[in-house]
Amino acid sequence: MENQLKLSKPEHGLNGELQVPGDKSISHRAVMFGSVAEGKTTIRNFLMGEDCLSTISCFRKLGVKIDINADEVTVEGNGWDSLSEPSEVLDTGNSGTTTRLMMGLLSGRPFHSVMLGDESIAKRPMKRVTDPLKLFGTAIDGRDEANFTPLSIRGGNLKAIRYKLPVASAQVKSAILLAGLQADGVTEVVEPQRTRDHTEKMIVEFGGEVERVEDTIKVRGGQVLRGAKVYVPGDISSAAFFMTAAAIVPNSSITLKNVGLNETRTGIVEVMKKMGARMEVTERPGSGERIGDIMVETSELQGTEIGGDLIPALIDEIPVIALLATQAEGTTIIKDAEELKVKETNRIDAVVQELKKLGADIEATDDGMIIKGKKSLQGAEVHSWGDHRIGMTLAVASLITESPVYLENADAIKISYPNFFEDLGKLVE
Ligand code: SPQ
């Protein structure tokens, strides 16, 4: 079997405090901005997951000096012009964020680069990024009219654009902003729905300017960014697995410390509260990204409906929310979430097929899923589909199954949470 793990439910509940690793989206961006800023950037609580390590490796290939010391990363930035033509292919691994944001950044650089990721990246749509980048004047090509990797880019001489995003995507918005920072004129991106705004916050943290007017984000080209000291808050997308575990495992109470509470990411808090979860969020005042602690206890849950503008604020949490819904009274409907089909896997199919094996009453729809609770789950042999979020969802499910769960390809979890099982072990009494 492909690195199969046997997982069993704990004898008692899950209790204690945990500091989940740094936010993946923010870790990627801190390396990218540090690489093009002038001066040194230090990044504390950096996520040492495989995706963020792919970003570091790509920037090293562009000539940037980056040191890793425990969970701190130092980037010696020397400005946009210091990046040099890579002599090797830029391997973005499993990371959509690395692939898409780097395309935007490289489209302003006057040299040639080739980007290639793993099997999953090769299936993820890139036209949503390459189309607007071509409008800036970048020469970009790839398989199927620049929709799939490998992609080649020859950038430089960009002219600012105004672009209305056809899909709500922080990655596409960020790629456009990274190109816009290097273009002649003011670039404007219009969002159909609000998506995570870590790129905008980081432009400001690195001494740049960006403006939001209603649904339009505007950035001026030619800005010089300055190195910064970045503290990466805990990743709410990782905390989500323990928030769910605390709510569904009897006799549990978990406090997750120093979690990022950026309002474009806290959809799961809203949903869990609506479902009746016993929880408390304590925010600490500060500048930059919002941060605080999240406490969740075993809860009596009710089904709910999730859709519309809330989807981008919890898109990566939907797999584990589906598990939560299997333990709620009544029906939960998740809609407007077609984007799940183009993540590391088709997450609608993956969640439905794997949770069904455990006995869940769950059906796929065109744009989401319908889950009927409250069902007791049984052990079975399940597969992560090579997707970290599916792997962790199934690991959390094993905490409530009557018999053991055998999880195949549990290694995928290392993409965003290398110490997931150690952290889980700390909460088992
Ligand atoms: O980086 P990658 O592989 O795309 O990671 C995922 C994840 O589950 O970790 C999605 F599969 O997160 C995306 C997220 O879904 C990270 C992200 C970002 O950092 O900007 C934005 C979201 O994607 P999108 O396509 O909606 O912009």
Side-chain angles (χ1 to χ4, degrees):
M1 283 299 146
E2 195 185 356
N3 60 71
Q4 190 185 63
L5 260 192
K6 179 182 176 188
L7 303 165
S8 307
K9 75 173 184 184
E11 262 181 56
H12 308 289
L14 298 172
N15 283 280
E17 281 185 6
L18 204 64
Q19 163 100 44
V20 295
D23 187 277
K24 179 159 78 67
S25 296
I26 298 175
S27 295
H28 282 301
R29 286 160 171 82
V31 170
M32 294 181 186
F33 280 99
S35 295
V36 296
E38 308 219 331
K40 185 162 137 176
T41 288
T42 51
I43 312 165
R44 282 193 298 135
N45 200 37
F46 182 83
L47 170 64
M48 294 295 167
E50 287 172 4
D51 270 12
C52 298
L53 295 174
S54 293
T55 294
I56 290 186
S57 143
C58 289
F59 279 91
R60 282 179 172 157
K61 286 184 183 162
L62 293 164
V64 184
K65 186 171 179 306
I66 304 175
D67 292 321
I68 302 177
N69 198 343
D71 71 347
E72 186 165 311
V73 171
T74 310
V75 186
E76 304 287 348
N78 283 302
W80 295 98
D81 292 336
S82 69
L83 301 188
S84 53
E85 187 166 72
S87 56
E88 288 170 74
V89 167
L90 301 173
D91 181 356
T92 59
N94 188 248
S95 176
T97 310
T98 312
T99 314
R100 296 197 174 115
L101 270 61
M102 281 197 76
M103 266 193 267
L105 192 148
L106 289 171
S107 70
R109 297 298 82 218
F111 53 68
H112 175 255
S113 24
V114 176
M115 304 183 72
L116 180 66
D118 69 4
E119 273 173 29
S120 152
I121 283 294
K123 292 188 205 134
R124 295 179 70 180
M126 297 296 160
K127 217 166 162 38
R128 52 178 62 192
V129 183
T130 56
D131 275 353
L133 293 181
K134 282 180 187 169
L135 298 176
F136 275 102
T138 311
I140 190 160
D141 208 348
R143 231 172 2 110
D144 194 13
E145 293 177 4
N147 196 20
F148 298 108
T149 56
L151 289 156
S152 79
I153 303 162
R154 185 175 290 282
N157 285 326
L158 305 185
K159 292 265 173 296
I161 62 166
R162 177 179 162 84
Y163 193 75
K164 211 169 163 204
L165 296 177
V167 279
S169 161
Q171 293 179 351
V172 182
K173 170 180 67 176
S174 300
I176 295 172
L177 293 177
L178 282 158
L181 280 167
Q182 305 171 74
D184 190 12
V186 175
T187 290
E188 298 188 2
V189 200
V190 185
E191 288 197 293
Q193 284 172 324
R194 192 144 184 228
T195 64
R196 65 189 71 188
D197 62 359
H198 305 301
T199 300
E200 294 91 306
K201 288 212 156 54
M202 209 156 272
I203 292 175
V204 174
E205 213 167 334
F206 281 77
E209 284 171 16
V210 59
E211 189 190 359
R212 182 178 186 103
V213 181
E214 291 169 2
D215 55 359
T216 305
I217 303 113
K218 302 181 187 184
V219 74
R220 185 174 38 81
Q223 297 191 43
V224 175
L225 303 173
R226 304 265 168 233
K229 286 188 168 41
V230 180
Y231 173 77
V232 182
D235 197 328
I236 192 159
S237 298
S238 299
F241 297 102
F242 295 106
M243 289 161 67
T244 300
I248 64 176
V249 176
N251 307 314
S252 298
S253 174
I254 303 178
T255 300
L256 300 150
K257 306 287 289 179
N258 304 319
V259 181
L261 297 176
N262 180 317
E263 64 279 12
T264 60
R265 297 284 299 281
T266 47
I268 183 158
V269 173
E270 204 174 307
V271 163
M272 285 184 73
K273 283 187 173 165
K274 208 167 129 202
M275 292 176 84
R278 290 172 52 182
M279 65 193 296
E280 213 173 280
V281 179
T282 317
E283 190 173 344
R284 267 185 296 287
S287 59
E289 290 282 355
R290 295 170 66 177
I291 193 163
D293 302 339
I294 302 176
M295 189 281 300
V296 184
E297 289 175 347
T298 310
S299 310
E300 295 291 326
L301 301 166
Q302 298 298 322
T304 187
E305 196 171 308
I306 307 168
D309 290 348
L310 194 54
I311 294 294
L314 48 66
I315 186 77
D316 297 337
E317 288 66 78
I318 292 177
V320 81
I321 289 173
L323 169 65
L324 190 73
T326 67
Q327 302 309 302
E329 283 302 340
T331 302
T332 295
I333 299 171
I334 301 173
K335 58 180 193 176
D336 307 321
E338 306 83 339
E339 274 296 298
L340 288 175
K341 295 179 183 171
V342 291
K343 298 295 180 187
E344 282 82 330
T345 46
N346 177 332
R347 286 183 175 160
I348 297 180
D349 288 352
V351 167
V352 169
Q353 289 181 34
E354 299 306 310
L355 289 183
K356 262 193 176 160
K357 290 181 189 165
L358 301 177
D361 184 341
I362 179 167
E363 294 302 331
T365 60
D366 280 349
D367 63 350
M369 45 195 110
I370 298 175
I371 306 123
K372 294 197 177 119
K374 173 179 181 173
K375 290 278 175 299
S376 63
L377 304 183
Q378 321 103 42
E381 206 167 87
V382 290
H383 204 292
S384 73
W385 292 41
D387 182 329
H388 51 132
R389 306 221 184 269
I390 304 300
M392 287 186 274
T393 297
L394 296 168
V396 173
S398 77
L399 301 169
I400 54 165
T401 52
E402 288 311 321
S403 51
V405 165
Y406 294 89
L407 174 60
E408 277 179 61
N409 196 1
D411 259 8
I413 291 173
K414 292 183 183 149
I415 290 292
S416 64
Y417 204 148
N419 298 325
F420 176 77
F421 289 107
E422 284 94 318
D423 280 357
L424 180 58
K426 291 179 194 162
L427 301 169
V428 176
E429 293 189 323

